[in-house]
Amino acid sequence: SRAQVAPAARAPIPRPASTPALQISSIKSDNVTRACSFIQEAATQGAKIVSLPECFNSPYGTKYFPEYAEKSTQKISKVAKECSIYLIGGSIPEEDAGKLYNTCAYRKIHLFDIDVPGKITFQESKTLSPGDSFSTFDTPYCRVGLGICYDMQFAELAQIYAQRDCQLLVYPGAFNLTTGPAHWEVLQRSQAVDNQVYVATASPARDDKTSYVAWGHSTMVNPCGEVLAKGGTEEAIVYSDIDLKKLAEIRQQIPIFRQKRSDLYAMEMKKP
């Protein structure tokens, strides 16, 4: 079912937000075409803020990034313009001056280098370089802050976006069958509560035949930490609400931003 987005102060009518989950294949052109069709479907259903998954044009894996790297996202930009929506283009392997990045409108800051014995070892830094800047943008509905996948593990990024008055954090991500069940939902709920924001994630659909199997379960969480909408492992478009009136009430009732002891935190961080 499709939930309606409650309007922000400047939005004249309710609009939904959506996060499509896509089945990623080894054929880049098919992935891009499929993404465009899902964007158009979401727009037809009234969505005004749409997010694609991480690496929507490429299988997820260090051996694939060089081959599937792009310099631009002209095709999906064209579709976003035609559909009159705000599109968070998931992420793509981006090539720039001989370096590769995991890029949305933002380059992934924290590279996914982990080693869980007997379960998963992955090292994005084998092929990718880290970004070094933040990305926020305004829409008539809310201010959005962007991260990509593993960035969600780092609380400081969400805190900075909250300080910059973001009301919605969006993470295109491809957690796996080890980190997904352990961290995917709990991180979203904790970030939403700790920073009093909406949190949305967009994952690829699960394909058990690939070398890296995505967890799936694209999700939208409200500032109370409640899961508003959640997809499964298959292809789907997840729609949900962004209610800025409710957000303002929560921030007024529990004024954590005014109560933070930044003076103490700063002093503690300076200690050797």
Side-chain angles (χ1 to χ4, degrees):
S1 62
R2 178 169 75 87
Q4 294 290 321
V5 169
R10 292 174 288 168
I13 44 180
R15 302 291 187 189
S18 71
T19 56
L22 304 177
Q23 194 75 60
I24 310 302
S25 78
S26 60
I27 303 173
K28 184 195 296 186
S29 60
D30 287 355
N31 294 331
V32 175
T33 298
R34 197 165 190 80
C36 290
S37 69
F38 270 67
I39 294 166
Q40 291 164 339
E41 180 182 345
T44 300
Q45 295 299 315
K48 282 297 180 182
I49 302 175
V50 179
S51 177
L52 296 175
E54 182 180 25
C55 287
F56 76 87
N57 74 324
S58 165
Y60 187 76
T62 55
K63 67 180 181 180
Y64 299 110
F65 297 151
E67 177 185 355
Y68 286 76
E70 300 276 9
K71 291 182 179 290
S72 70
T73 54
Q74 292 181 351
K75 188 163 186 179
I76 61 169
S77 295
K78 182 174 181 289
V79 172
K81 185 176 181 179
E82 291 172 350
C83 294
S84 298
I85 60 164
Y86 290 88
L87 175 64
I88 298 159
S91 78
I92 61 168
E94 177 205 16
E95 190 276 322
D96 183 31
K99 289 186 176 182
L100 296 177
Y101 300 90
N102 191 338
T103 299
C104 188
Y106 152 97
R107 288 172 172 166
K108 188 174 186 177
I109 293 175
H110 305 95
L111 297 184
F112 186 57
D113 289 1
I114 69 165
D115 182 11
V116 182
K119 292 187 177 181
I120 183 172
T121 298
F122 201 91
Q123 192 174 359
E124 274 191 326
S125 63
K126 281 185 176 180
T127 54
L128 300 178
S129 296
D132 58 6
S133 62
F134 307 112
S135 182
T136 65
F137 65 93
D138 289 305
T139 77
Y141 316 104
C142 59
R143 172 172 281 188
V144 182
L146 296 180
I148 297 175
C149 201
Y150 194 47
D151 286 331
M152 190 162 52
Q153 297 268 178
F154 299 86
E156 293 84 355
L157 181 61
Q159 291 167 4
I160 288 169
Y161 283 150
Q163 291 167 3
R164 295 187 179 188
D165 201 29
C166 290
Q167 295 129 332
L168 169 65
L169 305 186
V170 179
Y171 295 95
F175 277 38
N176 52 71
L177 300 188
T178 297
T179 61
H183 301 148
W184 180 249
E185 184 176 311
V186 71
L187 282 171
Q188 295 173 65
R189 296 181 68 185
S190 64
Q191 284 205 359
V193 172
D194 290 348
N195 299 285
Q196 296 179 328
V197 293
Y198 285 89
V199 177
T201 53
S203 170
R206 188 181 300 178
D207 183 350
D208 294 321
K209 298 176 183 178
T210 58
S211 58
Y212 183 96
V213 182
W215 174 239
H217 300 294
S218 299
T219 305
M220 176 72 102
V221 178
N222 74 10
C224 291
E226 299 166 336
V227 175
L228 298 177
K230 186 175 182 179
T233 61
E234 69 288 343
E235 281 193 324
I237 301 177
V238 177
Y239 298 92
S240 192
D241 295 346
I242 301 171
D243 186 342
L244 295 192
K245 181 178 179 181
K246 179 179 180 67
L247 176 61
E249 289 174 352
I250 292 170
R251 290 182 175 183
Q252 182 178 18
Q253 294 165 1
I254 309 176
I256 62 173
F257 298 111
R258 295 202 307 267
Q259 296 169 334
K260 282 191 173 185
R261 292 297 308 274
S262 297
D263 54 333
L264 293 180
Y265 310 151
M267 287 169 26
E268 189 67 22
M269 291 293 289
K270 290 179 180 179
K271 290 182 179 179

